[in-house]
Amino acid sequence: MASIKDVAKRANVSTATVSRVLRNAGNVTEETRQRVLEAIEELNYQPNVLGRYLRRMETETVLVVVPDITNPFFSKVLRGIEAVALEHGYQVLLGDTQNDARLEEQYLNVLPQRQVDGMIFLTARIRKELMEEMARQFPIVLACEYLEGTDIPTVSIDNISSARKATEHLIRLGHRRIAHLSGPMNIILSRDRLRGYYQALAQHDIDADPALVQEGDFTYESGYNVTLKLLALEEPPTAIFAANDEMAIGAIKAVRHRGGRVPDDVAVVGFDDIQMASIFEPSLTTIAQPMFEIGQKAMELLLQLIEGGNVGRRQFVLPDRLVVRDSCGGSA
Amino acid sequence: MASIKDVAKRANVSTATVSRVLRNAGNVTEETRQRVLEAIEELNYQPNVLGRYLRRMETETVLVVVPDITNPFFSKVLRGIEAVALEHGYQVLLGDTQNDARLEEQYLNVLPQRQVDGMIFLTARIRKELMEEMARQFPIVLACEYLEGTDIPTVSIDNISSARKATEHLIRLGHRRIAHLSGPMNIILSRDRLRGYYQALAQHDIDADPALVQEGDFTYESGYNVTLKLLALEEPPTAIFAANDEMAIGAIKAVRHRGGRVPDDVAVVGFDDIQMASIFEPSLTTIAQPMFEIGQKAMELLLQLIEGGNVGRRQFVLPDRLVVRDSCGGSA
DNA sequence: GATGGAGATGTAATCGATTACATAGATGAG
DNA sequence: CTCATCTATGTAATCGATTACATCTCCATC
């Protein structure tokens, strides 16, 4: 592999001049510039970025840590991130933690090791202190998930109010026995959605029945299995609010396998509005998150942090909205 | 940020010794080892990997280039790659090209720049010569998609024979007017599946009707739109073979929106066996690819290349199988 | 007690680029 | 003509780790 020295030798200049040509820093005559470019061409030279990284101590690369690459929700957020990054000449790399907090911590180490200039976490399952200590020294932004009582810049929706909105929709349709398929309780997002669910019940004087709250793990399978349990109750629910669309689809399938109909026998509401929510039959009533915008905003914040600016207000709450479709019936 | 020199100073040893402790290379007394470890602890030292990378000229990182991170098929392949990589201490980074060949070429440059030790392409849409030239100098493996007449190591299924199998299944069910929703024709995979379709027709003396072959782009929307065109034909097809599951689902939705039933009026077969294929109703008859295994095999090959070994046979064709479900009817 | 070998540690070169600083040559003002 | 200024280019330090090689100590062996 040719290095900058080889190019310098061939063009009969110093490495400094080659570097200047490479980075388009002025003060090079057109004539030498041409000579250098020729040498680069002839040697098929590609600058070794490791050298540059080491010297400049920056990589113009950001890492996005995703809890589950399989989840379509995150891919949309990612697209928002990519759009902004590309615009600003940053590379985006992806780390998949496969829902493993240990792997998440490992990715965190990439920062002090200087492999990337900043990180966006679409998951926040590691110890808060660890994350905060890192965030004090390096550019970190949280999106979607967040940490309680921290001032790490965060972009998300208001999960409590949107869960309340979803539950209230079911209440307005006349349901009183409403179940909730929650996400894992160690994730704050799940706890928020559960809280919103409880708030809605309380505001309408409906007693919360602990048997109607079941914990899933955001997968289709868990939605299916947990719903089977709910249906086996003496007094099964007439409506289900699932903490994401995949579990909601699992719930619908379970109802059907037990011979029930959706929405007639059981109404279902999901969360996220992934593509499949509108394709699946019955189409899902769900909370639409502005996934692309969340990604954009997160990347914009990260860029500000990297460039040393302050980000001012540190928590950004984007608007969500309830999308009413077929899975919860008309105005019963 | 503390560097190895700071640690050396604090522990009263040379940087060489610190490095030896860090990398667990022997020849260090337990006593000095402890001293060094203490210093590391006290300074909260994290080695800057850029220095190491530059010196060793390797990053123990591989890059996987994906045409579309949104596509669930690829996420499964990715999991296979991750599993093997993790086992061997390699980091996996992801590059999303968003189906843009220009972006794909950009990622290719990451190799001579030494940012990663090797790459796996789950897409192959750039100029063959370019790819081959790079593959001659650096470890590259292709998976899923491939390039014709090249000896870059490749892992995939036999798309021609599996497409033939899928089409034959429809023929056996009595269909004669079978349409094909193909992928983009600039992708060899699409051309292969089309070829398999033609072969099956020919073997059963069915004339191929050009009007029945329509090009999509692997998205749900394209499957939907193109099927509407097919249904508007004077003599519409009684069966549709789609080049992937998402287009197949689009096709089913289109048939329904036109008042038809699947499989009664139109039988549909997909390709890939993504999770939704078994969840969607009617469940999809489809070609199941061993996604996880494709990923595993690809990563294993890449490791061999990185470690300088030869990979022997360069084209690996893994077995696929036809999964019969509800979308194409019983034994009519 | 000289010799040799093994083990522990240090010294300094090295990876490839960037860049602060130095220098040489050209240009212009007085 | 001289000096200041500016431009183009070169020299060499630098980023942080790794590692070839040198050195030193200690101990065993004859």
Side-chain angles (χ1 to χ4, degrees):
Chain A
M1 287 294 303
S3 82
I4 198 170
K5 276 187 198 161
D6 303 315
V7 176
K9 201 170 297 174
R10 186 173 198 105
N12 240 317
V13 295
S14 71
T15 60
T17 303
V18 176
S19 179
R20 280 188 272 260
V21 170
L22 280 176
R23 319 193 323 98
N24 263 320
N27 287 356
V28 180
T29 13
E30 185 53 26
E31 195 215 313
T32 42
R33 212 178 86 84
Q34 282 310 326
R35 254 202 349 270
V36 171
L37 288 178
E38 266 170 43
I40 288 175
E41 181 75 17
E42 286 166 18
L43 293 170
N44 207 353
Y45 167 74
Q46 282 272 0
N48 177 327
V49 292
L50 294 179
R52 170 187 314 174
Y53 289 171
L54 179 59
R55 176 64 220 241
R56 315 259 311 250
M57 220 42 112
E58 61 181 31
T59 59
E60 304 210 305
T61 302
V62 301
L63 181 64
V64 180
V65 179
V66 185
D68 178 6
I69 199 69
T70 308
N71 185 327
F73 172 73
F74 295 113
S75 13
K76 279 294 168 58
V77 178
L78 196 70
R79 281 287 158 87
I81 294 173
E82 280 171 340
V84 175
L86 225 61
E87 219 172 90
H88 289 79
Y90 275 77
Q91 280 190 77
V92 176
L93 294 178
L94 232 74
D96 179 18
T97 68
Q98 308 184 42
N99 284 311
D100 181 344
R102 263 204 351 264
L103 267 176
E104 200 175 323
E105 288 201 11
Q106 270 189 32
Y107 278 115
L108 197 58
N109 278 329
V110 159
L111 270 174
Q113 295 174 348
R114 300 313 189 114
Q115 280 193 86
V116 297
D117 294 348
M119 293 178 86
I120 298 178
F121 280 86
L122 303 189
T123 164
R125 304 183 189 176
I126 56 184
R127 284 168 291 143
K128 184 180 152 196
E129 305 73 38
L130 197 66
M131 183 75 99
E132 281 189 317
E133 196 199 318
M134 219 43 115
R136 236 175 285 126
Q137 304 174 65
F138 303 101
I140 290 183
V141 170
L142 302 180
C144 306
E145 285 188 35
Y146 67 101
L147 288 168
E148 223 160 354
T150 180
D151 63 348
I152 301 176
T154 302
V155 184
S156 68
I157 59 167
D158 179 347
N159 283 283
I160 300 182
S161 89
S162 45
R164 200 171 51 220
K165 208 156 38 178
T167 312
E168 267 174 349
H169 180 69
L170 290 169
I171 296 174
R172 263 201 312 278
L173 290 174
H175 294 282
R176 311 287 293 179
R177 277 195 74 70
I178 302 172
H180 178 50
L181 304 193
S182 79
M185 274 304 130
N186 60 336
I187 298 175
I188 188 155
L189 214 115
S190 307
R191 295 200 297 274
D192 279 356
R193 291 179 191 172
L194 177 60
R195 201 172 312 162
Y197 160 81
Y198 280 136
Q199 286 182 2
L201 294 186
Q203 279 173 21
H204 292 81
D205 294 315
I206 301 175
D207 287 337
D209 179 348
L212 291 183
V213 174
Q214 296 284 340
E215 183 171 338
D217 64 2
F218 287 138
T219 62
Y220 164 81
E221 285 81 8
S222 74
Y224 183 90
N225 293 330
V226 157
T227 301
L228 288 184
K229 285 211 294 197
L230 286 172
L231 295 176
L233 289 177
E234 189 136 348
E235 209 180 338
T238 63
I240 297 176
F241 164 43
N244 78 342
D245 288 342
E246 272 146 314
M247 290 199 296
I249 291 176
I252 293 175
K253 294 284 283 192
V255 169
R256 287 200 184 145
H257 280 198
R258 280 285 176 273
R261 285 159 309 159
V262 176
D264 313 50
D265 298 314
V266 182
V268 174
V269 173
F271 206 112
D272 285 349
D273 196 23
I274 61 175
Q275 188 187 33
M276 199 39 70
S278 58
I279 297 175
F280 193 76
E281 299 182 9
S283 56
L284 275 184
T285 291
T286 189
I287 297 286
Q289 296 199 47
M291 315 183 238
F292 192 84
E293 287 79 9
I294 289 177
Q296 282 183 307
K297 185 77 199 165
M299 187 65 207
E300 281 164 15
L301 286 179
L302 189 65
L303 284 174
Q304 281 178 48
L305 284 177
I306 291 175
E307 272 142 32
N310 206 297
V311 295
R313 192 159 51 97
R314 306 194 82 101
Q315 315 297 333
F316 291 80
V317 177
L318 301 190
D320 55 83
R321 87 202 137 81
L322 179 74
V323 178
V324 178
R325 296 205 186 92
D326 300 338
S327 66
C328 58
S331 45
Chain B
M1 287 294 304
S3 82
I4 198 170
K5 275 189 198 161
D6 304 315
V7 175
K9 201 170 295 174
R10 186 174 198 104
N12 241 318
V13 295
S14 71
T15 61
T17 303
V18 176
S19 178
R20 279 189 271 260
V21 171
L22 281 175
R23 317 193 323 98
N24 264 320
N27 288 358
V28 181
T29 13
E30 186 54 26
E31 195 215 315
T32 41
R33 213 178 84 85
Q34 282 309 325
R35 253 200 354 267
V36 171
L37 289 177
E38 266 171 42
I40 287 175
E41 181 77 17
E42 286 165 17
L43 293 170
N44 206 353
Y45 167 73
Q46 282 272 359
N48 178 326
V49 293
L50 294 180
R52 171 187 314 173
Y53 289 172
L54 179 58
R55 175 64 219 239
R56 316 258 309 251
M57 219 42 109
E58 61 182 30
T59 59
E60 305 210 306
T61 301
V62 301
L63 181 64
V64 181
V65 179
V66 185
D68 179 5
I69 199 69
T70 308
N71 186 327
F73 171 73
F74 294 114
S75 13
K76 280 293 167 58
V77 177
L78 196 70
R79 280 287 157 86
I81 294 174
E82 280 170 341
V84 175
L86 225 62
E87 219 172 90
H88 290 80
Y90 275 78
Q91 279 190 76
V92 176
L93 294 178
L94 230 74
D96 179 19
T97 69
Q98 309 184 41
N99 283 310
D100 181 342
R102 262 204 352 262
L103 266 176
E104 200 175 321
E105 289 200 13
Q106 270 188 33
Y107 278 115
L108 197 58
N109 278 330
V110 159
L111 270 174
Q113 295 175 347
R114 299 313 190 116
Q115 282 194 84
V116 296
D117 294 349
M119 293 178 87
I120 298 178
F121 280 87
L122 303 189
T123 163
R125 305 183 189 175
I126 56 185
R127 284 166 291 143
K128 185 180 151 197
E129 305 74 39
L130 197 66
M131 182 75 99
E132 282 189 317
E133 196 199 318
M134 218 46 113
R136 238 175 283 128
Q137 303 175 65
F138 302 101
I140 291 182
V141 171
L142 302 181
C144 307
E145 286 188 34
Y146 67 102
L147 288 167
E148 222 160 355
T150 181
D151 63 348
I152 302 176
T154 303
V155 184
S156 67
I157 58 167
D158 180 347
N159 283 283
I160 299 182
S161 90
S162 46
R164 201 171 51 220
K165 208 157 37 180
T167 312
E168 268 175 349
H169 180 68
L170 289 169
I171 296 174
R172 263 200 311 278
L173 290 174
H175 295 282
R176 310 289 291 181
R177 277 193 76 70
I178 303 173
H180 177 51
L181 305 193
S182 78
M185 272 306 129
N186 60 335
I187 298 174
I188 188 154
L189 213 115
S190 307
R191 295 200 296 274
D192 279 355
R193 292 179 190 170
L194 177 60
R195 203 172 312 162
Y197 159 82
Y198 280 137
Q199 286 183 1
L201 293 186
Q203 280 173 20
H204 292 80
D205 295 315
I206 301 175
D207 286 336
D209 179 348
L212 291 183
V213 173
Q214 296 284 339
E215 183 171 336
D217 64 2
F218 287 138
T219 63
Y220 164 81
E221 285 82 7
S222 75
Y224 183 89
N225 293 330
V226 156
T227 301
L228 289 183
K229 285 211 293 195
L230 287 172
L231 295 175
L233 288 177
E234 189 137 345
E235 209 180 335
T238 63
I240 298 177
F241 163 44
N244 78 342
D245 288 342
E246 272 148 313
M247 290 199 296
I249 291 176
I252 293 175
K253 294 284 282 193
V255 169
R256 285 198 184 146
H257 281 198
R258 279 285 176 273
R261 286 159 309 160
V262 175
D264 313 50
D265 299 314
V266 181
V268 175
V269 173
F271 206 111
D272 285 349
D273 196 22
I274 61 176
Q275 188 187 34
M276 201 36 73
S278 58
I279 296 175
F280 193 76
E281 299 183 9
S283 56
L284 275 184
T285 292
T286 189
I287 296 286
Q289 295 200 49
M291 314 183 239
F292 192 85
E293 288 78 9
I294 289 177
Q296 282 183 309
K297 186 76 200 165
M299 187 65 207
E300 282 164 12
L301 285 180
L302 189 63
L303 284 173
Q304 282 179 46
L305 284 178
I306 290 174
E307 272 142 30
N310 206 298
V311 295
R313 193 160 50 98
R314 307 195 80 103
Q315 315 297 332
F316 291 81
V317 176
L318 302 189
D320 55 82
R321 87 202 137 82
L322 179 73
V323 179
V324 178
R325 296 205 186 92
D326 300 337
S327 66
C328 58
S331 45

